Amino acid sequence: MEYKMLESIGYILPAAITGLVAYYMFNGFIKQQSSEKSLELLAQKKKESLPIKLQAYERMLLFCDRITPSKMLVRVKPISENTQEYLQLLIASLEQEFEHNLVQQIYISNDSWTAILATKNTIINKLKQLSETSNSANELRENVILYYSKSLPPTDTAISFIKNDVKNLL
């Protein structure tokens, strides 16, 4: 009886060890396959989303270029000599550009979006500040051009954030 028990253990023990080794090997293989598939799906997702993100960054770069004060003054001419009317026209133009590109914040980094928002608000505040010392729309234009000829426009900061993000994407 003892001999039969030892004989049974002799058959069961190698079978159990072989079964455990096979289980761990197949389990590792399945995990590796799952991991490879996940990486493949992630790579495919990035490949599909990259053009959309790049397009969003392009649009926001164009937005920054369009709201650069010197370029905006060339594009938006005063309709009267009233300083406040011209200021409102400039702000409305800037806000319209911003609202047109508002959805792009989904695709760009928080840092770039914050820089763009700060740029927009800085330009609006500076326009308001310069309008207080201007007596006419043309004088406001001259004051803005004079001010920004002496200092860098805030759009340069936002543009550098955008360029840095695009560099990191690529």
Side-chain angles (χ1 to χ4, degrees):
M1 170 113 157
E2 199 174 289
Y3 176 73
K4 286 196 181 211
M5 193 150 188
L6 284 176
E7 190 179 331
S8 297
I9 290 175
Y11 288 125
I12 292 173
L13 188 58
I17 291 172
T18 304
L20 284 173
V21 168
Y23 170 77
Y24 284 114
M25 285 181 63
F26 283 124
N27 194 25
F29 178 74
I30 289 172
K31 284 182 181 177
Q32 180 185 3
Q33 290 292 335
S34 175
S35 176
E36 286 176 7
K37 203 164 264 276
S38 293
L39 286 173
E40 192 177 302
L41 287 172
L42 183 62
Q44 180 68 23
K45 183 180 173 185
K46 282 189 174 187
K47 183 180 176 184
E48 291 172 358
S49 69
L50 183 63
I52 295 170
K53 287 183 176 188
L54 287 175
Q55 184 180 24
Y57 280 110
E58 287 171 2
R59 286 185 62 179
M60 294 317 297
L61 187 82
L62 180 62
F63 167 74
C64 288
D65 185 61
R66 289 180 60 83
I67 67 167
T68 300
S70 58
K71 292 182 181 181
M72 191 169 54
L73 292 177
V74 170
R75 202 176 60 257
V76 181
K77 306 251 189 265
I79 51 178
S80 74
E81 280 299 308
N82 187 310
T83 308
Q84 288 305 310
E85 285 179 11
Y86 187 49
L87 173 66
Q88 292 308 314
L89 183 64
L90 290 171
I91 292 173
S93 175
L94 198 148
E95 290 290 350
Q96 183 181 15
E97 289 279 341
F98 181 74
E99 288 171 8
H100 181 71
N101 292 294
L102 189 62
V103 74
Q104 301 308 315
Q105 68 180 300
I106 295 170
Y107 304 109
I108 66 174
S109 73
N110 285 337
D111 290 340
S112 286
W113 184 254
T114 303
I116 291 166
L117 199 57
T119 296
K120 175 189 89 98
N121 292 333
T122 301
I123 290 171
I124 289 173
N125 288 337
K126 185 49 75 177
L127 289 173
K128 287 179 180 178
Q129 186 181 31
L130 291 171
S131 73
E132 291 173 0
T133 60
S134 303
N135 295 324
S136 68
N138 284 327
E139 188 177 335
L140 173 59
R141 290 180 76 167
E142 289 172 13
N143 289 342
V144 170
I145 290 171
L146 186 62
Y147 177 81
Y148 284 110
S149 69
K150 294 177 184 175
S151 65
L152 289 174
T155 52
D156 286 0
T157 305
I159 288 171
S160 68
F161 269 93
I162 291 169
K163 286 180 179 180
N164 189 39
D165 279 353
V166 170
K167 195 184 308 180
N168 289 338
L169 272 177
L170 302 174

